[in-house]
Amino acid sequence: MSSIHDHGEKTRSTLVGVSFLAVTASSHSSASAAIVYAALLDAESWPLWSAYADVEWDVPAGVNRPARVDDLRTIRSLTGRVCCRERVVEMVPNQRFSYEQAAGLFTSHRGSVDLAQASHGGTDITWSATYRHTLPLLDTLRRRRLQVWVHDLASYANSIASRNA
């Protein structure tokens, strides 16, 4: 069973007039880290578990390979508008997936999804994000969205584990 444990790690600081926001949200999945990690990389599964309608990896036509560091992905909202383009910056299979926003309104966004084997079984998921430019109204939205994403990812991974059991 998945539950959200928002650590409330919301940090705002100012450095030479630049405002930063760090947000962290956690959830637990009964699925293995391999299943959770695979769901993160499977662009076709995102509409099944996230609030986004489409995630598309930008790879050359005719190339069929797994995602890798420096690959770009485009994320679109339910309305079909491009929300952002992200670049993969770190991949540690079944442990960590990190990305940074490559284009869009807030190009200083960086996020990581960390997976750890839970002592009671399954996987603890921690999704963290840092934003260089913040606005108080957006901060609340970003915090809620991250909580929803980590919960939805855990729930989706649970459903895969249940089907495979």
Side-chain angles (χ1 to χ4, degrees):
M1 179 173 214
S2 175
S3 62
I4 294 177
H5 301 286
D6 179 10
H7 296 288
E9 292 182 30
K10 180 178 175 181
T11 306
R12 177 181 268 173
S13 62
T14 303
L15 177 66
V16 192
V18 177
S19 182
F20 291 88
L21 173 72
V23 182
T24 300
S26 302
S27 191
H28 176 79
S29 174
S30 59
S32 69
I35 289 174
V36 177
Y37 192 80
L40 275 171
L41 297 183
D42 181 10
E44 292 178 8
S45 78
W46 276 59
L48 301 174
W49 63 265
S50 76
Y52 287 99
D54 188 36
V55 175
E56 181 180 317
W57 288 100
D58 299 350
V59 293
V63 174
N64 186 14
R65 63 164 169 76
R68 59 186 182 200
V69 171
D70 287 330
D71 279 355
L72 293 171
R73 64 183 184 181
T74 302
I75 300 175
R76 290 180 179 80
S77 69
L78 292 172
T79 62
R81 291 188 342 213
V82 171
C83 292
C84 63
R85 288 180 44 81
E86 296 174 340
R87 177 182 322 282
V88 178
V89 295
E90 182 181 16
M91 296 176 76
V92 180
N94 309 330
Q95 294 179 31
R96 174 177 270 191
F97 178 81
S98 300
Y99 57 91
E100 65 186 9
Q101 194 160 353
L105 185 58
F106 298 99
T107 57
S108 58
H109 166 225
R110 183 180 171 106
S112 284
V113 181
D114 290 298
L115 309 174
Q117 183 174 346
S119 60
H120 56 283
T123 304
D124 289 328
I125 306 167
T126 303
W127 198 322
S128 56
T130 304
Y131 302 87
R132 184 170 172 204
H133 305 288
T134 68
L135 299 170
L137 195 57
L138 285 178
D139 293 355
T140 301
L141 175 66
R142 287 174 171 157
R143 185 172 182 228
R144 277 193 206 132
R145 184 174 28 185
L146 202 61
Q147 289 172 340
V148 168
W149 281 343
V150 73
H151 172 73
D152 289 351
L153 174 60
S155 295
Y156 179 70
N158 289 347
S159 71
I160 293 171
S162 294
R163 283 191 304 249
N164 294 339

